[in-house]
Amino acid sequence: MKKSIILIACAAVLTACNPDTWNLDIVGMVSGSSPQIDKRIDDSFAYNAQHGMPVIAASAENYRVYVATDTHVDRTRTNWETFISDYRNDLSCPLAIHLGDLINAQNHWDYMKLPVDSIPANPLKKDTLLVVAGNHDIYFNQWGEYISRWKTSTYYAIVRTPSGKQDLYIFIDTAEGVLGTKQWAWLEQTLKWADTQSFRHIVVNTHTHLFKRDSSQGHTSNMPIEETYALLHMLQEHKVEMYWCGHDHSREISQLHNMTAIVVDALFDREPHPGYLVAEVGNEPISYKFVNLTSN
Amino acid sequence: MNKRFTLIVLMAVWLMMPAMAQVQYGTDQYSVRMSLGYNHNTTYGHYGSVAIGAFMPINPHFEMQADMFFSFQNTHALGVQVRPKFAVPVGEIYLEGRMLAGLYARDGFNDLTQAIAVGYRMEYVSFQLGMSTRLIMETPYDWHSTSNIIVEPFNLTYRLEVFVRPKVSPWNISMCISNMTDYQIERVWQPIFMANGRYNIDEHWQVNLSALCKPTGMFHLNAKYYAAEVRGGFAYNF
């Protein structure tokens, strides 16, 4: 019996080392292989300090934001290509967002990023794709791969309309299911600063969802209870209008007092009901619709 | 506000009623216990807490437990557990029903968790498996709508505890993994690792020490430390 348990444990660990046979980094159950959040924040902040935060110009007062998550690109990327093509051909879309789990496991970074670099945009417009890391993006010690391509995972972006109105999009790294001390302080400081800036809308984007409202998540996890409530309190106190996230793979809308939390459908090709979200941003509260794609 | 305060006080008094009668889980005596805790998590930082509890073995087939937890972060919990139990040739099987109110006043959230479980305990091992449902409510409540109540309808609960000594021993140490303590019920993927110890000074007084560690991200497969607690106190067995 004892030998059997040891054998099974060894097999699980060894299997976890080979993403082609098993795409979960089981060793991460004990200790994550990428640097922990406080170190990752240092990397993100170093890039932010050097390059500043993105400022995106919208061509009209009302514009659209396309939001995808959990593409888990591995052998195929059909839905991901569809999403890129869709937002690049929407003249009203200056901003697209990916909420993490860009890839499923290692060795797929270039394959995932290729359509971003190669699918042409409509020549009449400019757009920007912003991303945040998910748990799959840092498995197997892949933080270095992520940061070399996407540069940062904790930052904010401002979309500026022709009349000078501004919308704030904050990105936080919850790839471990927790914000960590440094990121918490940064988020609080950023939201306090936002209070003084008269933003039209404030949206927080991250990977990990807040609640366990159904069993669609399988083995994926949320933040601890204390962190969930404290985060919700802070976001609402600073008038965050929406919290967009993924991780759960299944659409979910939670209405809180002053904020709407949305779990966006996964865009993973093998997902039974893949899809993405399109938000209409203007002078009214943000509205949104879901776009359903077909499973591949 | 006054109505809410009155309700909380009445609930607290009701929860403490078993303590006025009297005991402690796994023994046959009524007891009350009190402990002080040092707590830390990466959200709140460092803080202290006080826990008060009572154990009441009503008869050989039924026991109750009540717990109150107050933290200096203005997060509190009130819980009641009832356990019908049945002796089997080795050990005993029990059913457990729990109600746990989490009062996260610092963040304007309250939750109410109901849990049922079936358990089996022997001298050296105790095992429990069940499910829970949580209602999450933001304060102030909107009494005219249910749209602000978040329901987490199903969550798996579990507890495995291994003791180094038999129950009748004057001292004991146990190691435990569970997603529950007496004053919190976490989601299934948020295990809490605990070490508990007790020493019976005499037939009435008992010293309790415990420590717990709550990592996060285990099922993100990116595990990281999240919270810890060291707790010490005493119990009086009647």
Side-chain angles (χ1 to χ4, degrees):
Chain A
M1 180 66 182
K2 194 176 169 184
K3 281 181 183 172
S4 303
I5 291 170
I6 292 169
L7 264 175
I8 290 167
C10 290
V13 169
L14 289 171
T15 310
C17 298
N18 184 354
D20 291 331
T21 55
W22 184 254
N23 60 27
L24 299 174
D25 188 0
I26 300 298
V27 178
M29 281 192 85
V30 181
S31 178
S33 51
S34 277
Q36 295 195 342
I37 184 66
D38 284 346
K39 170 68 176 72
R40 298 204 305 277
I41 292 302
D42 290 342
D43 294 341
S44 289
F45 288 176
Y47 177 83
N48 298 345
Q50 207 171 356
H51 295 87
M53 303 294 186
V55 178
I56 298 160
S59 59
E61 294 305 299
N62 298 344
Y63 63 89
R64 288 193 195 108
V65 179
Y66 280 57
V67 186
T69 187
D70 294 86
T71 43
H72 289 267
V73 168
D74 51 16
R75 296 188 299 275
T76 65
R77 60 185 182 202
T78 310
N79 289 336
W80 176 227
E81 288 171 347
T82 304
F83 173 79
I84 295 171
S85 178
D86 287 354
Y87 83 74
R88 291 211 161 146
N89 285 294
D90 185 339
L91 293 176
S92 301
C93 171
L95 171 62
I97 291 170
H98 194 305
L99 297 169
D101 281 1
L102 296 95
I103 57 157
N104 208 26
Q106 64 201 66
N107 300 328
H108 299 292
W109 285 106
D110 292 331
Y111 182 65
M112 188 273 168
K113 198 158 185 289
L114 189 61
V116 181
D117 300 328
S118 61
I119 293 178
N122 186 309
L124 298 175
K125 63 167 282 202
K126 278 186 178 175
D127 56 49
T128 304
L129 172 70
L130 298 177
V131 309
V132 67
N135 52 312
H136 278 253
D137 303 324
I138 65 169
Y139 282 173
F140 300 107
N141 195 20
Q142 291 183 103
W143 172 247
E145 300 274 354
Y146 173 91
I147 206 79
S148 70
R149 288 165 179 82
W150 302 100
K151 312 302 181 190
T152 178
S153 190
T154 300
Y155 58 106
Y156 64 78
I158 294 171
V159 176
R160 193 169 286 157
T161 70
S163 71
K165 290 186 174 124
Q166 299 190 116
D167 302 319
L168 180 65
Y169 296 84
I170 299 172
F171 295 79
I172 51 175
D173 182 338
T174 53
E176 289 163 350
V178 71
L179 270 74
T181 313
K182 284 185 189 172
Q183 186 171 226
W184 190 274
W186 175 84
L187 178 61
E188 195 165 28
Q189 188 185 343
T190 302
L191 289 168
K192 280 180 182 167
W193 164 78
D195 288 342
T196 67
Q197 300 296 309
S198 306
F199 285 110
R200 191 170 61 163
H201 305 286
I202 303 176
V203 179
V204 166
N205 302 272
T206 192
H207 184 64
T208 302
H209 57 289
L210 296 162
F211 304 111
K212 184 193 183 304
R213 292 181 52 189
D214 54 40
S215 295
S216 60
Q217 298 156 264
H219 65 274
T220 64
S221 53
N222 307 76
M223 300 169 202
I225 288 284
E226 301 95 314
E227 179 116 334
T228 303
Y229 296 154
L231 179 62
L232 283 168
H233 176 67
M234 178 162 65
L235 299 184
Q236 292 189 90
E237 191 178 42
H238 294 284
K239 299 184 172 49
V240 171
E241 188 176 335
M242 292 217 165
Y243 177 96
W244 292 341
C245 60
H247 192 51
D248 185 4
H249 287 213
S250 182
R251 182 186 308 172
E252 193 175 284
I253 302 160
S254 301
Q255 186 59 52
L256 294 134
H257 275 175
N258 305 317
M259 191 183 88
T260 306
I262 300 177
V263 180
V264 179
D265 295 299
L267 206 57
F268 189 23
D269 276 354
R270 296 198 288 280
E271 194 67 28
H273 306 289
Y276 60 84
L277 178 144
V278 179
E280 300 277 351
V281 185
N283 291 326
E284 301 298 316
I286 295 172
S287 60
Y288 53 87
K289 67 176 182 182
F290 295 97
V291 176
N292 300 315
L293 301 181
T294 51
S295 186
N296 293 283
Chain B
M1 181 64 193
N2 284 339
K3 188 185 283 183
R4 197 183 315 150
F5 180 73
T6 309
L7 280 172
I8 290 171
V9 170
L10 284 174
M11 199 167 170
V13 170
W14 178 68
L15 284 171
M16 286 308 294
M17 282 172 69
M20 295 164 193
Q22 253 9 277
V23 184
Q24 177 159 20
Y25 183 71
T27 73
D28 301 325
Q29 290 173 277
Y30 284 69
S31 73
V32 288
R33 60 187 183 281
M34 186 264 190
S35 62
L36 298 175
Y38 156 77
N39 302 67
H40 174 263
N41 68 42
T42 62
T43 311
Y44 303 164
H46 305 273
Y47 61 104
S49 62
V50 179
I52 303 169
F55 179 76
M56 187 166 60
I58 308 283
N59 63 45
H61 301 293
F62 188 78
E63 63 192 31
M64 286 181 68
Q65 182 177 329
D67 295 282
M68 302 173 74
F69 172 84
F70 306 96
S71 90
F72 295 111
Q73 277 291 332
N74 206 9
T75 62
H76 316 293
L78 306 169
V80 181
Q81 303 174 41
V82 294
R83 293 189 202 91
K85 53 183 185 176
F86 313 95
V88 291
V90 178
E92 64 184 14
I93 291 172
Y94 62 91
L95 300 173
E96 182 175 284
R98 292 182 66 162
M99 288 280 279
L100 181 71
L103 311 171
Y104 294 81
R106 79 189 287 280
D107 298 320
F109 278 86
N110 293 335
D111 64 24
L112 184 65
T113 309
Q114 307 88 43
I116 54 169
V118 60
Y120 178 50
R121 62 190 174 202
M122 295 173 288
E123 287 288 11
Y124 293 97
V125 180
S126 171
F127 176 73
Q128 181 179 316
L129 192 65
M131 59 163 287
S132 69
T133 297
R134 190 193 316 268
L135 306 178
I136 299 170
M137 294 152 285
E138 212 173 353
T139 58
Y141 298 135
D142 178 1
W143 295 108
H144 303 289
S145 168
T146 56
S147 64
N148 288 129
I149 298 178
I150 307 287
V151 181
E152 294 189 345
F154 175 78
N155 180 50
L156 192 71
T157 61
Y158 51 89
R159 181 182 175 92
L160 173 64
E161 187 166 15
V162 179
F163 301 86
V164 300
R165 306 272 292 165
K167 193 170 77 175
V168 293
S169 172
W171 64 272
N172 211 339
I173 293 171
S174 70
M175 304 299 288
C176 178
I177 178 172
S178 176
N179 61 341
M180 300 177 292
T181 68
D182 288 336
Y183 42 84
Q184 62 176 315
I185 298 178
E186 264 291 359
R187 281 98 169 209
V188 54
W189 39 69
Q190 196 71 71
I192 302 166
F193 298 89
M194 290 169 272
N196 304 302
R198 68 165 172 83
Y199 175 68
N200 292 0
I201 299 168
D202 58 30
E203 64 174 311
H204 291 300
W205 290 98
Q206 175 183 310
V207 175
N208 297 312
L209 287 171
S210 66
L212 70 78
C213 177
K214 181 160 105 172
T216 186
M218 282 185 71
F219 285 82
H220 273 63
L221 301 183
N222 287 298
K224 176 187 182 303
Y225 161 80
Y226 176 68
E229 178 189 82
V230 178
R231 177 164 296 284
F234 61 88
Y236 184 81
N237 298 317
F238 291 85

